[in-house]
Amino acid sequence: MAEERTLALVKPDAAEHTRGFIENAKEYGFYIVGQKVVWFTPSDAGIFYLEHKTKSFYTTLCLHMASGPVTAMVLEHPLGETIKRWRMRIADTDPNNAADGTLRHRFGGGRKELHRNVVHGSANPKDAEREIALLFTGLELA
């Protein structure tokens, strides 16, 4: 088992690009140690994004996350720093500011609504642990 894992979510607005996210993760050396499709309710999304509850976009984000399928993946990288490496692949939260070649640029460029930023990556090890535990049991992970 790697030292660090991260949770990656392909959000509903990018569901048709799930294969591209998976291929990109593998191409950049990530191991997918858990994967499934989930359907959030607005309440589920509210629990997942609880740290944003006081922000103006919270309700819109929760409704968006409940609008379609979400592909959840637990990632590891053999060289470590999994969270940092994945966040570099996905780029800036605003797809319109994402660097060329990143996942948010490739699959989310030109979006006007910030909550429709195609992908999620855990911000830090504590968040990764909490988020993974919300969506996966230990038996579902390699």
Side-chain angles (χ1 to χ4, degrees):
M1 182 163 119
E3 284 182 34
E4 185 175 83
R5 290 179 168 177
T6 193
L7 182 73
L9 298 179
V10 179
K11 295 182 178 183
D13 53 308
E16 70 271 17
H17 301 295
T18 298
R19 178 181 224 139
F21 283 92
I22 293 168
E23 290 171 355
N24 191 277
K26 290 178 179 179
E27 178 183 341
Y28 282 86
F30 292 93
Y31 300 140
I32 300 171
V33 298
Q35 179 181 339
K36 64 181 172 180
V37 175
V38 297
W39 289 79
F40 282 104
T41 65
S43 177
D44 295 334
I47 292 166
F48 187 85
Y49 286 109
L50 192 59
E51 72 273 15
H52 298 306
K53 188 168 184 147
T54 60
K55 297 181 180 165
S56 62
F57 60 82
Y58 176 75
T59 300
T60 305
L61 173 62
C62 292
L63 292 173
H64 170 61
M65 291 301 289
S67 69
V70 174
T71 299
M73 297 178 284
V74 178
L75 305 178
E76 292 180 352
H77 199 285
L79 300 178
E81 296 187 315
T82 303
I83 293 168
K84 179 181 177 183
R85 290 175 189 280
W86 183 245
R87 290 186 68 83
M88 287 173 50
R89 289 298 318 131
I90 65 177
D92 192 275
T93 303
D94 184 342
N96 298 305
N97 295 333
D100 288 352
T102 61
L103 293 169
R104 283 195 173 124
H105 179 265
R106 180 175 171 192
F107 298 118
R111 304 202 182 230
K112 293 180 179 162
E113 298 147 318
L114 187 58
H115 66 277
R116 294 182 182 273
N117 63 2
V118 303
V119 65
H120 168 86
S122 304
N124 57 62
K126 183 178 177 185
D127 285 354
E129 185 177 331
R130 182 186 71 83
E131 293 168 358
I132 291 167
L134 282 171
L135 297 178
F136 289 88
T137 67
L139 295 174
E140 295 176 301
L141 302 174

